[in-house]
Amino acid sequence: MKKKILSTFLIFLFLGCSDNSVTSSEGKVEIDLNKVYKWNMVTTWPKNYPGLGLAAENLSKYVDEMSNGRMKIKVYGAGELVPAMGVFDAVSQGNVELGHGASYYWTGKVKSSQFYTAVPFGLTAQEINSWIHWGGGQELWEEAYAPFNLMPLAGGNTGVQMAGWFNKEINSIQDLKGLKMRIPGLAGEIFSRAGAETVVLPGSDIFLALQQGVVDAAEWVGPFNDLTFGFHQVAKYYYYPGWHEGGSTLEIIINKEAYESLPDDLRAIVKYAARAVNQEMLDEYTANNNRALTELVEVHGVELRKLPDDVLVELRKISREVMEEFIEGDEMATKIYNSYEAFKQDVIEYHEISEKAFIEMRDLED
Ligand code: CA
């Protein structure tokens, strides 16, 4: 009996000790309910920009509510603390704790960041969320950003975008020859190879470029965002589908040391608030895109057009070549692209008989 009590006591003592030692070796931060963490967050969007810009504001709000005011995040629009394209460096260097933007802005620094926003003919919102959170995407993203002292999280999704606004009809791949279009990134490269002259312009410059005929076409996001910029006043045709951005993900980046300085409960709050923001944006876009599209077509008389299948097939062919060249010689980008593509092949098989079959079924006529 005595022996049993003693051994129980020893086990208890051992567990107690080991728990303490684990605590210190993992660098657990003591929870101090009176301590208020004040963080700054820079973004690549104008302050309070509908949809994209509000994700950062929502993160700040959710973290404040969940932490009962123990963590305050002040959000800055592009250019207020740092320019839009300075967000990555500002957070990486620890000048600010948090950033919000689109990861593909940083392909010049981290090639593989492209895969965390959008890949032409890639994953939809539902699929990319699944790859990131259940398919190994998150771990690879952390690995790619670790050398930059950054912890990335998905922070919003626009859903499938539109192919864009055109003042010329696209009836065949030949119609892309000489077309001047605002379309950035890999999609721009693909359009260039199809013969278009592509340019990169910030969203706020698109309207004037279309109006003055500097470009014949431009892509931005989708009906919800495009309506606010008024592109329907300066372009005739609104083409779909957004073959190049099937579910563009936004990102939250956190300075790693700042993240590790948080006690466990606040780390969890930041993480789950990001997860909520990620879903929240998709819900907002789904609701608002439909409303905005109805207004564009019924009130403003926009001509909605679908890109012809043979044009899409041709773009997909070029896209494969561009992707192969893009990852060549970059070990991390190759590793992430392979994971992304393998996940895509798997999920496509199931979505054939689930999402796609369900949507087609709803369209069956009596
Ligand atoms: Ca876009």
Side-chain angles (χ1 to χ4, degrees):
M1 185 68 185
K2 260 189 186 170
K3 230 181 175 179
K4 203 174 176 190
I5 291 171
L6 185 68
S7 65
T8 309
F9 175 71
L10 283 175
I11 288 168
F12 190 74
L13 191 73
F14 173 74
L15 285 175
C17 284
S18 81
D19 187 41
N20 280 340
S21 63
V22 166
T23 302
S24 59
S25 74
E26 277 188 358
K28 229 179 207 177
V29 180
E30 200 70 30
I31 295 178
D32 175 357
L33 293 175
N34 295 314
K35 181 166 177 176
V36 176
Y37 288 81
K38 288 185 180 162
W39 279 19
N40 290 320
M41 183 169 197
V42 289
T43 69
T44 60
W45 325 108
K47 182 81 177 160
N48 291 325
Y49 186 72
L52 304 171
L54 291 182
E57 307 289 345
N58 284 339
L59 184 82
S60 166
K61 184 170 159 252
Y62 299 162
V63 166
D64 191 359
E65 283 172 8
M66 287 195 267
S67 70
N68 199 25
R70 283 168 54 220
M71 190 166 181
K72 303 276 184 194
I73 298 170
K74 192 165 164 40
V75 178
Y76 293 89
E80 289 189 317
L81 271 190
V82 296
M85 295 304 129
V87 166
F88 187 93
D89 287 344
V91 184
S92 172
Q93 289 158 11
N95 301 332
V96 290
E97 292 85 0
L98 276 165
H100 188 264
S103 64
Y104 65 1
Y105 293 150
W106 325 126
T107 44
K109 301 172 197 291
V110 196
K111 229 173 187 191
S112 52
S113 66
Q114 174 71 43
F115 304 110
Y116 292 91
T117 310
V119 172
F121 302 95
L123 300 171
T124 65
Q126 185 180 344
E127 292 163 353
I128 195 167
N129 279 327
S130 179
W131 174 61
I132 291 174
H133 300 122
W134 284 87
Q138 178 66 36
E139 292 74 11
L140 289 169
W141 200 1
E142 287 177 24
E143 195 182 328
Y145 277 27
F148 301 89
N149 201 26
L150 291 172
M151 155 88 176
L153 294 169
N157 199 303
T158 65
V160 181
Q161 298 198 357
M162 291 290 284
W165 295 88
F166 291 73
N167 276 321
K168 289 182 177 165
E169 277 184 87
I170 305 298
N171 296 315
S172 78
I173 196 81
Q174 298 305 323
D175 292 327
L176 295 182
K177 290 218 169 14
L179 182 90
K180 286 176 283 174
M181 181 163 182
R182 182 269 179 197
I183 178 166
L186 287 175
E189 177 61 28
I190 294 163
F191 251 47
S192 297
R193 291 194 194 190
E197 287 174 36
T198 62
V199 292
V200 181
L201 294 171
S204 51
D205 291 355
I206 297 174
F207 183 92
L208 208 61
L210 277 168
Q211 192 181 41
Q212 296 178 340
V214 174
V215 293
D216 311 306
E219 77 81 52
W220 177 232
V221 183
F224 171 39
N225 283 137
D226 293 5
L227 176 66
T228 61
F229 269 149
F231 298 145
H232 55 279
Q233 297 164 43
V234 288
K236 198 168 174 196
Y237 308 109
Y238 200 17
Y239 273 93
Y240 69 95
W243 55 277
H244 59 309
E245 300 199 56
S248 299
T249 304
L250 287 309
E251 75 169 2
I252 290 163
I253 42 177
I254 312 171
N255 177 275
K256 247 182 151 185
E257 278 133 36
Y259 185 68
E260 279 157 15
S261 76
L262 294 176
D264 277 359
D265 64 336
L266 292 182
R267 281 186 211 181
I269 284 171
V270 170
K271 239 176 164 166
Y272 294 119
R275 194 74 182 259
V277 161
N278 189 47
Q279 184 63 42
E280 177 84 350
M281 191 193 284
L282 184 60
D283 301 346
E284 187 189 3
Y285 272 78
T286 305
N288 286 329
N289 272 332
N290 187 49
R291 232 172 277 150
L293 183 67
T294 307
E295 187 181 329
L296 285 169
V297 174
E298 289 178 9
V299 180
H300 302 296
V302 165
E303 286 193 42
L304 196 60
R305 297 282 173 95
K306 185 176 184 290
L307 284 175
D309 286 352
D310 56 344
V311 170
L312 290 168
V313 167
E314 201 55 43
L315 291 173
R316 193 176 62 195
K317 253 188 242 164
I318 303 171
S319 162
R320 285 191 199 113
E321 289 166 24
V322 168
M323 288 314 297
E324 268 165 39
E325 285 171 32
F326 179 76
I327 58 168
E328 205 187 317
D330 188 307
E331 206 181 307
M332 199 66 215
T334 305
K335 190 161 127 183
I336 297 181
Y337 182 64
N338 289 342
S339 164
Y340 183 101
E341 277 298 304
F343 189 87
K344 189 174 104 180
Q345 290 318 315
D346 281 352
V347 86
I348 278 175
E349 261 178 54
Y350 179 62
H351 276 178
E352 273 294 314
I353 61 152
S354 56
E355 307 296 313
K356 188 179 163 207
F358 189 88
I359 288 170
E360 284 172 353
M361 171 205 71
R362 287 193 307 204
D363 291 342
L364 289 175
E365 289 185 21
D366 288 340

